[in-house]
Amino acid sequence: GPAMAAVRDVEIDPEGTFKYILVRLQRPGGGEQRDIVRGTRAAEFHNHIFEKVNPEMEKLGYECKCLGGGKIDHNSKEKKIRVFGLSTGYGKADHSVTVEILKKVYTDYEITWSDDKK
């Protein structure tokens, strides 16, 4: 639906290293679903990000499920993004999925991922 299209695939800080989560949006009762990436240095813990996203999406009529988390290192000068690490609470997101979503938005970036902790 149009509301789902209005939700941005990616909302991350323009620079730095910070926590991120991969969130699945779904219409109650099934139907359309999609995954979005959210990350910010303002979040001390991964659940802080989810606690902000969840009510926003519920207002739009979506159920949210956190598929895991990790960290993003965003270097806007070199146009590089590195996805790595995990979330203690939510487990490790599938970083390969995260990278595919990031590539939709950061089309001219070099985007890589690994299971490294740092």
Side-chain angles (χ1 to χ4, degrees), residues 4 9 15 26 33 36 41 50 62 74 79 105 113:
M4 191 173 270
D9 289 312
E15 188 68 40
Q26 193 154 7
Q33 63 173 42
I36 60 171
R41 231 182 320 189
F50 188 73
Y62 298 108
H74 188 176
K79 295 196 168 183
V105 177
W113 69 272

Side-chain angles (χ1 to χ4, degrees), residues 75-90:
N75 184 331
S76 56
K77 283 188 192 71
E78 291 181 23
K79 295 196 168 183
K80 285 182 181 174
I81 294 177
R82 188 168 70 96
V83 185
F84 64 101
L86 52 82
S87 161
T88 313
Y90 295 121

Side-chain angles (χ1 to χ4, degrees), residues 12-85:
I12 60 171
D13 285 1
E15 188 68 40
T17 303
F18 44 84
K19 292 181 169 68
Y20 94 89
I21 56 172
L22 185 61
V23 178
R24 175 155 294 164
L25 304 183
Q26 193 154 7
R27 287 288 186 208
E32 56 178 333
Q33 63 173 42
R34 65 183 267 223
D35 299 341
I36 60 171
V37 174
R38 295 291 184 268
T40 177
R41 231 182 320 189
E44 190 184 350
F45 299 105
H46 287 90
N47 63 303
H48 292 169
I49 308 172
F50 188 73
E51 282 161 12
K52 184 176 178 293
V53 174
N54 195 37
E56 289 174 3
M57 297 304 147
E58 281 183 343
K59 273 183 209 149
L60 296 172
Y62 298 108
E63 290 171 349
C64 287
K65 181 181 167 195
C66 184
L67 302 178
K71 285 188 170 178
I72 286 175
D73 180 25
H74 188 176
N75 184 331
S76 56
K77 283 188 192 71
E78 291 181 23
K79 295 196 168 183
K80 285 182 181 174
I81 294 177
R82 188 168 70 96
V83 185
F84 64 101

Side-chain angles (χ1 to χ4, degrees), residues 93-104:
D94 185 338
H95 297 325
S96 65
V97 171
T98 301
V99 166
E100 289 312 306
I101 297 168
L102 289 169
K103 280 178 177 172
K104 287 196 235 172

